[in-house]
Structure formats: C-alpha cells, structure tokens
Amino acid sequence: DRTDPEIAGVLARMRADDAADAIADLPQDRREPVLNLLPAGQRTKVTALLGYNPTSAGGLMSLDFLALPRDTPAAAVLERVRTAHALQPEALATVFSLNNRGRLRGAASLVALIQADPEALLRTVADSNPIRVHPNTDLIDITLLMTDYNLLNLPVVDDDDHIIGVITVDDVLESSLPRNWRARGGAS
C-alpha cells in the first residue's frame, strides 16, 4: 500500500540481504522502480544479491563480514571488531583470515580472539581451512554443514576462494521455517 519512495526509504535503512528479500516479495512491476530509488551503494549490493536463487548460499548470504590479513595481531583484529559499527553483530562472531592474494585461509571465533595473546597473529588464532560453500550451494547442504560443524556463520566463496558473503545461523533458521511461522501461537 506504500508508495515506491516510501518503500525505498525503508529499504535504504535495511541490511542489503534483508532489502533484497523485501524487494523479491514485491509484485514484479514494482521491483525495478523501488530498486532505482535506493542509494547507489545499496542498489548495487541488493542487485547483486537478487541475482542468486533465494534458497541458495548466494541468496541467503549477507555482504557483512570482517576479513583481515592473516598476519594481523589479535589486538588489532579486536579493535576492528570494536569499531565495525556498520556490520551486523552476528557477522562479527567470526573473523576470517586472508592470505596476501585475498583468499580465505582461516576463521577465528570472537571468543578465541578475546582469549588469545594480544600479539598473536590471526593465522595462529584462526582455524585453518574453514568450512566454506559456493553461491549455488542449497539450503539443505548449508543447514547440514552448519549443524554438523556447529557454525554460527559460514563463508560463501567464489571459484578463486575469495569471500563474497557470509551466511549467519539466524538467516538459515529463518529460511528453514515456514513463511507463516510468526503467526503461530507461542510455545506452551
């Protein structure tokens, strides 16, 4: 019932993955006009996410994640987490380490970073060779991996092992539940 500018105003304040989901729920004839009203940066992110199947890793991923060179000291990593106000908190539960070519080489939990010696390098704190998926991985495989490995988030990588997004457990849970789950009565 809202106008295109009103919808775009709301979507502009949302995370790109949530805005993409909301645009996908709009009638086809309203999607492009609303998308064109978004700020350029937000529009670019939302457009990229809309290119993926919504039940694939690409469609579920968020573009919010923190990935740093693997030679970054733990204290500097924690400072980056502390100042990453633009990122959703769920995305900061894990910090990813990258080699000098920008390829994924590790994943360090926030707890491991807090408990580490401040001078320890991210490469020594991070688990090497973390579980990862490609954008076309389906929801069932994602759910199984996150369950089997007790993951809070799961990096999505391209064919060159560069992180393009992260799937958070809350997004997997939301995608796994029936669309009308909020209409159900409370637990007894």
Side-chain angles (χ1 to χ4, degrees), residues 74-141:
V77 174
L78 288 172
E79 182 58 26
R80 289 289 303 272
V81 169
R82 192 175 0 272
T83 60
H85 302 292
L87 298 181
Q88 62 173 323
E90 298 85 358
L92 295 171
T94 303
V95 176
F96 299 98
S97 69
L98 307 175
N99 69 9
N100 57 0
R101 293 190 195 134
R103 293 186 172 137
L104 176 63
R105 289 299 174 254
S109 72
L110 188 55
V111 171
L113 288 162
I114 291 169
Q115 292 175 340
D117 181 308
E119 300 303 316
L121 299 180
L122 182 55
R123 74 168 65 220
T124 63
V125 178
D127 292 329
S128 61
N129 199 23
I131 304 299
R132 66 200 79 192
V133 294
H134 285 94
N136 59 349
T137 305
D138 69 25
L139 177 60
I140 293 172
D141 288 339

Side-chain angles (χ1 to χ4, degrees), residues 55-57 60 131 133 137-151 154 167-169 171-177:
T55 61
S56 71
L60 293 171
I131 304 299
V133 294
T137 305
D138 69 25
L139 177 60
I140 293 172
D141 288 339
I142 293 164
T143 305
L144 290 172
L145 283 170
M146 292 186 84
T147 301
D148 288 347
Y149 292 94
N150 197 26
L151 301 173
L154 179 64
I167 302 168
T168 57
V169 69
D171 288 332
V172 172
L173 288 171
E174 188 174 317
S175 296
S176 300
L177 293 170

